[in-house]
Amino acid sequence: MFVIGGLFGSFELSMESARLWIHSLLFFIFTIACLYVVDTLVISNRLTTDYQNIQLKKQPQLPLRFRSDGTFKILQVADMHYGNGMVTRCRDVLESEFNYCSDLNTTHFLRKMIDIEKPDLIVFTGDNIFGSSATDAAESLFEVFAPAIESQIPWAAVLGNHDQESTMTREELMSFISLMDYSVSQTFPMDPMEQQPMTNIDGFGNYNLEVRGAPGSYLSNSSILNLYFLDSGDRAIVDGVRTYNWIRESQLSWLRGLSKRFQGQWKLTDQSVEIPPLPVMHPALAFFHIPIPEIRQGPIKNIVGTYREYVACSLVNSGVLKTFISMGDVKAFFLGHDHNNDYCGNLEGIWFCYGGGFGYHGYGVAGWPRRARVIQAELGKGKEVWMGVEKIRTWKRLDDGVLTKFDEQVLWDIHSSR
């Protein structure tokens, strides 16, 4: 009896083990089947490369060139300080404006400026996003540059001191920006001999753009206006003191070499055209974010605009102004950083201009409208053809409902050499 009972008990245990094994097998099969269905219906469709619908960068219409009316217009957008769009509130606006004011006001202002000015190039001079308020840097960048991309106008950007405070490094930011639709930005300058990126230069976002003459003119295939873009960095420690960063000697050395190569380089395509007298050198403009110490030190002559904020710059004077003077081609440079300054001034014969605070999430002054700067280069007119650059002028517009135009001035005129 005991033997039979033991055998019966062993049989029951075997049956129970078999049932558990079968249940486990069925559960495993069921799990595999579920994963297969999910993979087939959901995941595979997203992971499979559709070679017919690959999205490539939309390229701007290049080369940059003057219009047939002899003008080339640049819209400068300084300090957008974009956060997370609709949920990011405005700073320093009137109490009556606060409840309905957000990053979208900045976007709307940019669209209005593009519509009224119809620029040939849009330049963003840093602090495009306000890193501590931007949860995802890439998403914020898409929103920041959306109006420029929608317009299909070529656009360029440099970094400020706040852009990298979100989820991307400075190199990642510039690389991302350079790959966006219609962007002409570059992470590194190109070596003209090797045709390779020059990665041994300090910073990210040092590059140049060339603007050619008007269509049909004898300078239509020549660079007659050069645009220099420089990375002025973010923060630095000097002798234990925290300060802003500065443009380094490697950048200035590259710039001097670039300027030297440009001068005197032009190409005549129509040999039947009588060549008008050419200027000694074609002019250039420079764009970067942080002001140079010379602006704080002065003396500044011929100020046009509002000077209402102490100049926030580096403790280190790396000789940027001295370099510009020695190069001879830079007629003006354009800055951001100090939102409450929107003035132009002259330093030893070279003009500098603040853009004025553009973005509503950046600090400002309540009741003092956000603003933007426009720069326009104009060609001289010969008897029958357009010549080289004759004049560079600038003005600003306010986001005051009617986009008031004000403080129009001439920065450089070839005839007066000022």
Side-chain angles (χ1 to χ4, degrees):
M1 293 292 294
F2 290 110
V3 174
I4 294 175
L7 291 173
F8 183 74
S10 298
F11 177 76
E12 286 185 331
L13 287 173
S14 299
M15 290 294 294
E16 183 64 24
S17 298
R19 280 196 297 270
L20 290 174
W21 186 86
I22 292 171
H23 289 164
S24 297
L25 179 61
L26 291 174
F27 180 76
F28 177 74
I29 294 172
F30 175 75
T31 302
I32 294 299
C34 290
L35 291 174
Y36 175 79
V37 171
V38 171
D39 177 70
T40 302
L41 299 181
V42 181
I43 298 177
S44 293
N45 290 335
R46 296 187 179 184
L47 295 181
T48 300
T49 301
D50 184 351
Y51 293 99
Q52 294 181 343
N53 294 300
I54 293 176
Q55 296 296 313
L56 299 176
K57 173 183 174 179
K58 296 178 182 177
Q59 297 293 340
Q61 186 172 350
L62 295 175
L64 298 175
R65 67 169 64 252
F66 279 77
R67 302 178 191 179
S68 57
D69 67 356
T71 64
F72 186 83
K73 186 185 290 185
I74 301 170
L75 170 62
Q76 181 194 2
V77 181
D79 297 273
M80 290 187 77
H81 274 243
Y82 208 91
N84 290 322
M86 184 183 297
V87 299
T88 300
R89 310 307 300 175
C90 298
R91 294 180 60 185
D92 299 329
V93 294
L94 297 174
E95 187 176 352
S96 59
E97 301 171 328
F98 182 78
N99 288 336
Y100 57 86
C101 189
S102 71
D103 276 339
L104 299 187
N105 290 64
T106 303
T107 301
H108 187 50
F109 181 28
L110 180 53
R111 286 199 174 100
K112 290 188 295 183
M113 284 299 304
I114 293 172
D115 288 342
I116 195 170
E117 291 291 356
K118 297 176 175 57
D120 301 290
L121 176 69
I122 305 169
V123 175
F124 298 86
T125 49
D127 282 0
N128 310 300
I129 61 175
F130 190 52
S132 59
S133 298
T135 305
D136 185 306
E139 290 297 328
S140 294
L141 289 173
F142 277 125
E143 294 192 47
V144 164
F145 301 125
I149 292 171
E150 291 163 5
S151 73
Q152 301 183 16
I153 294 171
W155 59 274
V158 294
L159 301 179
N161 54 293
H162 287 300
D163 292 281
Q164 78 291 337
E165 294 170 350
S166 180
T167 56
M168 287 184 175
T169 65
R170 296 179 74 82
E171 183 175 4
E172 289 168 343
L173 285 164
M174 278 310 304
S175 178
F176 189 86
I177 289 170
S178 71
L179 295 173
M180 297 180 76
D181 290 346
Y182 305 107
S183 171
V184 290
S185 310
Q186 299 170 34
T187 309
F188 302 104
M190 294 296 293
D191 186 313
M193 303 299 293
E194 302 293 334
Q195 288 300 305
Q196 295 292 329
M198 300 173 67
T199 59
N200 59 336
I201 295 175
D202 287 287
F204 306 99
N206 302 297
Y207 57 101
N208 70 285
L209 299 175
E210 303 176 32
V211 185
R212 297 188 181 183
S217 73
Y218 74 101
L219 290 170
S220 61
N221 288 327
S222 300
S223 171
I224 60 172
L225 175 67
N226 296 309
L227 308 177
Y228 303 137
F229 298 84
L230 294 163
D231 181 8
S232 55
D234 48 14
R235 293 277 188 173
I237 303 293
V238 177
D239 296 331
V241 179
R242 192 168 185 240
T243 185
Y244 288 108
N245 221 315
W246 60 92
I247 295 171
R248 307 298 178 113
E249 175 56 32
S250 64
Q251 298 167 274
L252 297 177
S253 178
W254 161 74
L255 200 61
R256 286 189 289 265
L258 185 65
S259 172
K260 187 176 180 179
R261 286 195 299 272
F262 275 135
Q263 299 314 320
Q265 292 183 8
W266 59 279
K267 182 179 179 181
L268 182 62
T269 56
D270 187 352
Q271 299 295 332
S272 67
V273 176
E274 183 178 351
I275 306 173
L278 290 171
V280 175
M281 57 177 58
H282 297 306
L285 305 174
F287 299 87
F288 49 93
H289 182 70
I290 298 175
I292 58 177
E294 291 91 336
I295 298 176
R296 180 191 288 180
Q297 297 161 3
I300 302 171
K301 298 180 180 179
N302 306 321
I303 291 178
V304 177
T306 304
Y307 184 170
R308 65 187 306 164
E309 181 180 354
Y310 186 67
V311 177
C313 61
S314 177
L315 295 174
V316 177
N317 187 334
S318 60
V320 175
L321 181 62
K322 182 179 179 181
T323 296
F324 286 166
I325 293 172
S326 69
M327 287 163 53
D329 58 344
V330 176
K331 308 306 177 185
F333 56 98
F334 300 88
L335 317 158
H337 195 55
D338 300 333
H339 305 186
N340 296 332
N341 291 335
D342 73 350
Y343 64 94
C344 292
N346 193 291
L347 285 168
E348 300 186 42
I350 296 181
W351 284 92
F352 70 90
C353 294
Y354 280 101
F358 190 101
Y360 278 86
H361 188 53
Y363 73 85
V365 177
W368 201 59
R370 266 54 175 187
R371 56 205 60 214
R373 179 171 293 281
V374 179
I375 305 115
Q376 180 167 282
E378 301 170 1
L379 300 179
K381 183 72 172 178
K383 291 182 179 180
E384 297 181 356
V385 295
W386 289 113
M387 300 166 61
V389 181
E390 180 180 73
K391 189 177 297 184
I392 298 170
R393 69 173 73 243
T394 185
W395 61 86
K396 294 168 289 191
R397 287 191 185 272
L398 298 176
D399 191 18
D400 59 358
V402 293
L403 298 177
T404 299
K405 182 180 179 180
F406 68 112
D407 283 349
E408 185 169 1
Q409 66 181 112
V410 174
L411 297 175
W412 178 77
D413 188 321
I414 191 173
H415 301 296
S416 59
S417 296
R418 65 181 182 87

